[in-house]
Amino acid sequence: MPMAETSLSPEREDNTTVPDLKTQTQDGRYPSEVLEDEVWDGPDDPDNPLNWSPSQKWSIILLISTITLVFSSSSSIFGPALPEFLREFDSKSDTIATLTISEYAAGYILGPLVIAPLSELYGRLPVVHASNLVFVVFTVACAVSSDIPMFITFRLGQAFSVYGTGTLGPSFIADLMPIERRGLAMTIFAVGPTLGPSISPTIGGILALKAGWRWIFWFIAIFAGILTILTAVILKETYAPILLARRHARKQNPLGTTQAPTPASVIRAAIVRPVKLLIHSPVTLILALQSSIALSYLNLILSTFALLFQTQYNFTTWQSGLTLFGLGVGFIVGQLVVGSFSDGWLKHQNSRRNEIRPEDRLPPLIIGSILIPTGYFWCGWSIEYHTHWIVPIIGSALVSTGAMFCFLPVSMYLIDAYTVFAASATAGNIMVRSIVSAILPLAAEPLYGKVGYGWGDSIFAFIALAFLPVPIFLVRYGHYLRTHPRFQVQL
């Protein structure tokens, strides 16, 4: 059966029409063929996720945020236990120690490319359930590993499954919230993925000290298991094209039949969708690179601060974990400010020109592009001159505040501009920033060794400053780039 390509319409905001999603219904046809006229029964259709009760919407968003908090903690919680882990297996390899953390980047890169498109073929619900179950299994496997190769293999599986829920968080918000309320929802969701890495090293250090490194993974597995059960009870399918396809199928055959399998070619087309968005949509690629700088610099602080404070300020292992609370404070400040500004600014722009554009989400990105290099100048020279320990922690808070001024506007832009394909757009963004953030911090140690912390962090700050014109350009010309016929993505 021939399947024509469809052009992704960035202006689609209300989830009332169905894109050319090429999944077959039980009568052997695709939603694009049978649902062209299939829409919700008016603006107040109770089956439309946008019309669900506030308690239903917020319970789903809070649950997804909590899952992401636990999953994101799994990357950094193991760091303080590395010395004990290496001693148990009689290893002194710095490469193995680095690999147990850095291999998460491979999961971050590969996971979204598979998980996001599958959620647009089969719905959010089965993908989240599968990701949660796989995560629990691999986390338990890490806890019972009997040698280093086994542990590294299971750790990679854990990393791959982490981004099931993490990638789909913004997509749930696109499904559930109208555009003028997504800022607040995105801000609340972001508490999970940002707070987790900030507090987990302290928790990991205490667990490693009191119970051993294996109990770090038992701890994560227990909480993930509880959340997996809650997900089975609370979570509902929210993806409008899937819900409309099911409604159409029920009308066609009230008794119900088995859904025809999706052809392999359709699955392949869905999996390459995030890459096509990056290649053919310049705004998507530019924002991915901008986000990459923010994430790289956050990862650099996460990976160096604990050891730095142990060597420069003589902090103990558990005390050095507390130095990351500066990041947590910055995350909270950034979320509160961006969240309160974003939806209000959209309403202002709508009243001014009677139109809401996704680009209206981007002004905070300009401030973030200033705060991040400012924080790096602050951190580098305060450490260089060995000022009081609180001074570089304040600098790290500036960096994390600036990062939130980058991450939140970019995520809101992607779900506003590509609502139905928000999962693929988010996956492409995560893939690029994961690659860059895995590579860029590798230059830190040799750089600091050559020029010191002051000039080393200053070089990173100047790189970040070079990106300052990018958000200014996008705020002014992003609408033209996004809507120009040359840059419409054929999916």
Side-chain angles (χ1 to χ4, degrees):
M1 183 178 297
M3 295 180 293
E5 288 190 320
T6 183
S7 176
L8 176 61
S9 173
E11 301 297 337
R12 183 173 292 156
E13 306 288 357
D14 58 2
N15 281 347
T16 58
T17 59
V18 180
D20 189 10
L21 289 176
K22 302 177 180 69
T23 37
Q24 287 177 301
T25 56
Q26 52 260 59
D27 59 358
R29 293 181 291 169
Y30 298 101
S32 57
E33 296 174 284
V34 297
L35 297 179
E36 290 176 352
D37 300 318
E38 183 79 12
V39 296
W40 299 114
D41 294 336
D44 300 320
D45 189 331
D47 290 335
N48 186 343
L50 291 171
N51 296 325
W52 291 356
S53 69
S55 61
Q56 282 182 296
K57 294 181 179 182
W58 286 111
S59 63
I60 290 174
I61 292 172
L62 290 174
L63 176 61
I64 296 297
S65 179
T66 305
I67 294 171
T68 310
L69 184 150
V70 174
F71 284 17
S72 64
S73 298
S74 63
S75 62
S76 54
I77 194 171
F78 184 59
L82 275 172
E84 182 197 349
F85 171 81
L86 293 175
R87 280 195 302 271
E88 178 173 326
F89 293 112
D90 196 25
S91 173
K92 297 180 180 179
S93 172
D94 292 337
T95 302
I96 290 177
T98 302
L99 183 61
T100 61
I101 304 296
S102 62
E103 67 175 329
Y104 249 64
Y108 291 169
I109 294 166
L110 298 174
L113 281 179
V114 176
I115 289 167
L118 289 180
S119 79
E120 293 167 349
L121 284 174
Y122 300 107
R124 318 291 191 208
L125 196 60
V127 174
V128 170
H129 286 329
S131 298
N132 289 355
L133 184 59
V134 170
F135 178 82
V136 172
V137 169
F138 276 110
T139 302
V140 171
C142 287
V144 299
S145 296
S146 58
D147 55 49
I148 290 179
M150 183 185 296
F151 177 84
I152 289 175
T153 302
F154 292 146
R155 180 84 163 149
L156 182 61
Q158 185 192 44
F160 183 86
S161 60
V162 158
Y163 259 88
T165 306
T167 301
L168 297 182
S171 305
F172 276 104
I173 292 171
D175 296 342
L176 293 167
M177 292 295 183
I179 186 171
E180 67 275 7
R181 296 180 185 172
R182 288 177 189 157
L184 175 62
M186 192 67 206
T187 300
I188 292 175
F189 162 75
V191 172
T194 53
L195 186 61
S198 303
I199 63 175
S200 60
T202 302
I203 298 172
I206 295 172
L207 284 171
L209 183 65
K210 301 294 184 181
W213 69 267
R214 295 181 188 274
W215 263 100
I216 291 175
F217 292 96
W218 286 119
F219 176 81
I220 292 289
I222 290 169
F223 274 94
I226 293 171
L227 291 171
T228 299
I229 295 171
L230 286 176
T231 301
V233 175
I234 295 175
L235 200 61
K236 297 170 60 177
E237 182 58 65
T238 63
Y239 192 41
I242 294 296
L243 295 175
L244 286 170
R246 290 174 182 173
R247 171 184 283 187
H248 176 84
R250 287 194 299 269
K251 289 179 180 178
Q252 289 254 311
N253 190 344
L255 296 178
T257 59
T258 303
Q259 181 169 318
T262 304
S265 60
V266 177
I267 295 177
R268 286 195 298 269
I271 289 176
V272 301
R273 187 179 296 139
V275 179
K276 292 182 73 173
L277 281 168
L278 287 171
I279 294 174
H280 298 293
S281 173
V283 178
T284 305
L285 179 59
I286 291 169
L287 289 177
L289 293 174
Q290 183 82 26
S291 300
S292 300
I293 294 296
L295 183 61
S296 297
Y297 288 10
L298 277 180
N299 283 351
L300 186 54
I301 291 177
L302 282 168
S303 61
T304 61
F305 245 42
L307 182 60
L308 188 152
F309 273 83
Q310 290 177 36
T311 56
Q312 298 290 316
Y313 292 95
N314 296 319
F315 277 30
T316 65
T317 301
W318 73 269
Q319 286 174 333
S320 63
L322 295 175
T323 61
L324 297 178
F325 273 95
L327 290 180
V329 171
F331 287 145
I332 293 171
V333 171
Q335 289 162 4
L336 291 175
V337 175
V338 175
S340 60
F341 167 84
S342 186
D343 289 344
W345 179 249
L346 250 66
K347 293 177 183 177
H348 168 74
Q349 292 294 83
N350 189 38
S351 63
R352 187 174 68 86
R353 53 171 142 80
N354 199 30
E355 180 187 11
I356 293 177
R357 297 176 179 175
E359 290 73 24
D360 295 332
R361 300 289 191 184
L362 296 180
L365 192 55
I366 300 173
I367 301 174
S369 299
I370 297 172
L371 286 175
I372 291 175
T374 300
Y376 257 75
F377 282 126
W378 187 309
C379 282
W381 290 107
S382 62
I383 294 169
E384 181 79 16
Y385 287 105
H386 210 273
T387 60
H388 189 274
W389 56 264
I390 195 64
V391 180
I393 292 177
I394 294 173
S396 72
L398 290 177
V399 175
S400 59
T401 302
M404 294 314 299
F405 274 71
C406 291
F407 293 148
L408 286 175
V410 169
S411 295
M412 294 176 196
Y413 171 88
L414 292 175
I415 65 177
D416 288 352
Y418 307 108
T419 306
V420 177
F421 291 116
S424 288
T426 303
N429 183 275
I430 291 174
M431 180 188 69
V432 172
R433 75 189 194 196
S434 296
I435 293 173
V436 175
S437 66
I439 296 172
L440 188 61
L442 296 177
E445 188 175 344
L447 184 64
Y448 291 149
K450 274 192 174 182
V451 301
Y453 288 106
W455 280 111
D457 277 354
S458 293
I459 290 172
F460 286 122
F462 286 128
I463 294 173
L465 278 175
F467 280 80
L468 179 57
V470 171
I472 299 174
F473 174 82
L474 290 179
V475 168
R476 188 171 181 84
Y477 301 109
H479 177 72
Y480 169 80
L481 284 176
R482 178 174 55 84
T483 58
H484 193 282
R486 180 179 177 183
F487 303 123
Q488 298 308 297
V489 186
Q490 298 298 316
L491 299 174

